[in-house]
Amino acid sequence: EESLQMWDLNKRLEAYLARVKFLEEENEVLRAEIQSTKSSPAGDSWRVKYEEELRALRDALDHAFREKCTAELARDNLYEEVQQVKSRCQKEQAAREEAKKQLSLSRKELEEERRAQIWLKERAVQLEKEVEALLEVHEEEKAGLDQEIASFSHSLESFRCAPVAFQPVEVEDYSKRLSEIWKGAVETYKAEVSQLEGSLCQAKENLWKAVEDNQQSQLQLQHLEKDLAGLKARKEMLEESLAQQWQEQRGEAEKFQLAMEALEQEQQSLRAQIARVLEDRQQLMHLKMSLSLEVATYRTLLEAESTRLQMPAG
């Protein structure tokens, strides 16, 4: 739309310059005609009037040209400001899109951290249940071993001498082995619990970082929205001023067009007046010639009459 308006203004400016050139050529022709009529005494007053009008027309043309130049400079400055505002708006839009992308990524990371935290909590509960089950099994095995030891001790008390095939060392080995298994299970559980606690702390830290990044992204987005609103307001203000400049320039162009039409009408009236003056002058020349012919005729008649009167009577 702006390019179409610029093209229309350029076309109108070209037409205006062509019109001015045509009027200047006609002014040169009129100047030549006025120079030709300078010798006549009636042309002095017209010459002064024409010179004053031509001087006024030249001043008006110079003023119009200066106003046109200032309007073109203002138009170029406004166009550059609009281009700068557009580029800044594009940059702000790109930064806003980037902030939105970062916000969406941080939200995804936050959701993943929440899911990981939920999974870790479920895993911890599951491990606690497994530990409780192992403790129950251990207690049951320990109770069974106590019963077996009690039964063995009762059998030993009932019999004074133990059989050769019985070896109490195996029971001790079995209990040691069970205690070692229990210690290994407890150590494994402690290692898994510490690992889960470390991963939970890391997840909490990542969650806090994601929350802080989200807050920073929101603050940056708010600042960008404020800057964008300010740029939109500035753009609207520049567009309003540009539209006002266009309207003023259009009004001045219409005024120049009206002034040129008035000058054309005045020029036509001056041409008609010059034609009437030339016609009157031609009529005067014809009248002068006829009068000179009559005077010559009367002179010849008078000379003939005087010669006739001077002749002798005979």
Side-chain angles (χ1 to χ4, degrees):
E1 186 177 0
E2 290 177 354
S3 63
L4 290 174
Q5 290 179 0
M6 292 291 292
W7 183 74
D8 189 9
L9 286 173
N10 288 325
K11 289 295 183 183
R12 291 177 67 183
L13 183 61
E14 289 176 359
Y16 174 74
L17 292 175
R19 192 73 175 172
V20 169
K21 186 177 180 181
F22 178 71
L23 290 173
E24 286 178 354
E25 290 176 356
E26 287 187 350
N27 286 327
E28 292 294 331
V29 173
L30 287 173
R31 192 180 291 111
E33 291 179 357
I34 290 167
Q35 290 293 332
S36 65
T37 56
K38 279 183 179 179
S39 59
S40 62
D44 293 335
S45 61
W46 290 101
R47 182 180 64 188
V48 174
K49 186 177 180 181
Y50 291 156
E51 287 178 354
E52 291 178 355
E53 289 178 354
L54 287 172
R55 193 179 299 109
L57 288 172
R58 289 193 188 96
D59 294 334
L61 286 173
D62 293 334
H63 184 67
F65 185 74
R66 287 194 296 270
E67 288 183 352
K68 180 178 73 65
C69 292
T70 54
E72 286 179 353
L73 289 173
R75 181 192 62 190
D76 295 334
N77 292 326
L78 288 173
Y79 183 74
E80 289 178 357
E81 288 182 359
V82 168
Q83 291 296 325
Q84 291 177 0
V85 169
K86 284 183 179 179
S87 63
R88 191 171 178 184
C89 286
Q90 290 176 358
K91 290 180 181 178
E92 294 294 334
Q93 189 69 25
R96 188 176 179 182
E97 293 294 331
E98 186 67 24
K100 285 182 179 179
K101 288 180 181 179
Q102 292 180 359
L103 183 61
S104 63
L105 290 173
S106 62
R107 285 177 180 173
K108 289 180 181 179
E109 291 178 356
L110 182 62
E111 292 294 331
E112 290 178 356
E113 292 294 334
R114 286 178 181 174
R115 291 174 184 174
Q117 188 177 4
I118 292 168
W119 181 80
L120 290 172
K121 287 180 180 178
E122 291 177 354
R123 183 65 177 168
V125 172
Q126 186 178 0
L127 289 173
E128 287 177 356
K129 289 180 180 179
E130 290 179 358
V131 169
E132 289 176 357
L134 288 172
L135 288 172
E136 289 177 358
V137 171
H138 180 68
E139 290 294 333
E140 290 177 356
E141 289 178 354
K142 188 176 180 181
L145 289 172
D146 291 335
Q147 290 177 2
E148 289 178 358
I149 290 168
S151 62
F152 283 139
S153 63
H154 183 69
S155 61
L156 287 173
E157 287 177 358
S158 61
F159 295 101
R160 292 180 178 178
C161 58
V164 179
F166 180 73
Q167 294 179 358
V169 180
E170 293 179 356
V171 176
E172 293 178 358
D173 292 335
Y174 185 67
S175 63
K176 287 179 181 180
R177 193 176 298 167
L178 285 175
S179 63
E180 289 176 358
I181 291 169
W182 168 247
K183 287 179 181 180
V186 169
E187 292 295 331
T188 305
Y189 171 71
K190 286 181 179 179
E192 288 181 355
V193 168
S194 63
Q195 186 178 1
L196 288 173
E197 287 179 353
S199 61
L200 184 62
C201 292
Q202 186 69 28
K204 286 182 179 179
E205 289 179 358
N206 293 328
L207 182 62
W208 282 110
K209 286 181 181 179
V211 170
E212 289 178 357
D213 292 335
N214 190 6
Q215 290 178 357
Q216 290 179 0
S217 299
Q218 287 180 358
L219 291 173
Q220 188 176 4
L221 184 61
Q222 290 177 0
H223 288 301
L224 290 173
E225 286 178 353
K226 288 180 181 179
D227 294 336
L228 184 61
L231 290 173
K232 285 182 178 179
R234 183 171 176 78
K235 182 181 178 183
E236 291 176 356
M237 184 173 64
L238 288 173
E239 287 179 352
E240 289 178 358
S241 63
L242 183 62
Q244 188 176 2
Q245 289 288 333
W246 283 117
Q247 289 179 359
E248 291 178 357
Q249 190 173 4
R250 188 175 296 173
E252 290 177 357
E254 290 178 355
K255 289 180 182 179
F256 292 153
Q257 188 69 27
L258 292 173
M260 294 301 295
E261 290 177 357
L263 289 173
E264 287 178 356
Q265 291 178 0
E266 190 173 359
Q267 186 179 4
Q268 290 178 0
S269 65
L270 288 173
R271 283 184 177 179
Q273 290 178 4
I274 289 170
R276 287 196 296 271
V277 168
L278 292 174
E279 187 178 358
D280 293 337
R281 186 178 178 186
Q282 191 174 4
Q283 289 179 0
L284 288 172
M285 291 294 291
H286 287 296
L287 183 61
K288 185 177 179 181
M289 289 175 67
S290 62
L291 288 173
S292 63
L293 289 173
E294 289 179 359
V295 168
T297 305
Y298 290 147
R299 187 176 294 165
T300 54
L301 290 173
L302 289 172
E303 287 178 356
E305 187 67 23
S306 65
T307 54
R308 188 179 63 81
L309 290 173
Q310 288 178 2
M311 287 177 66

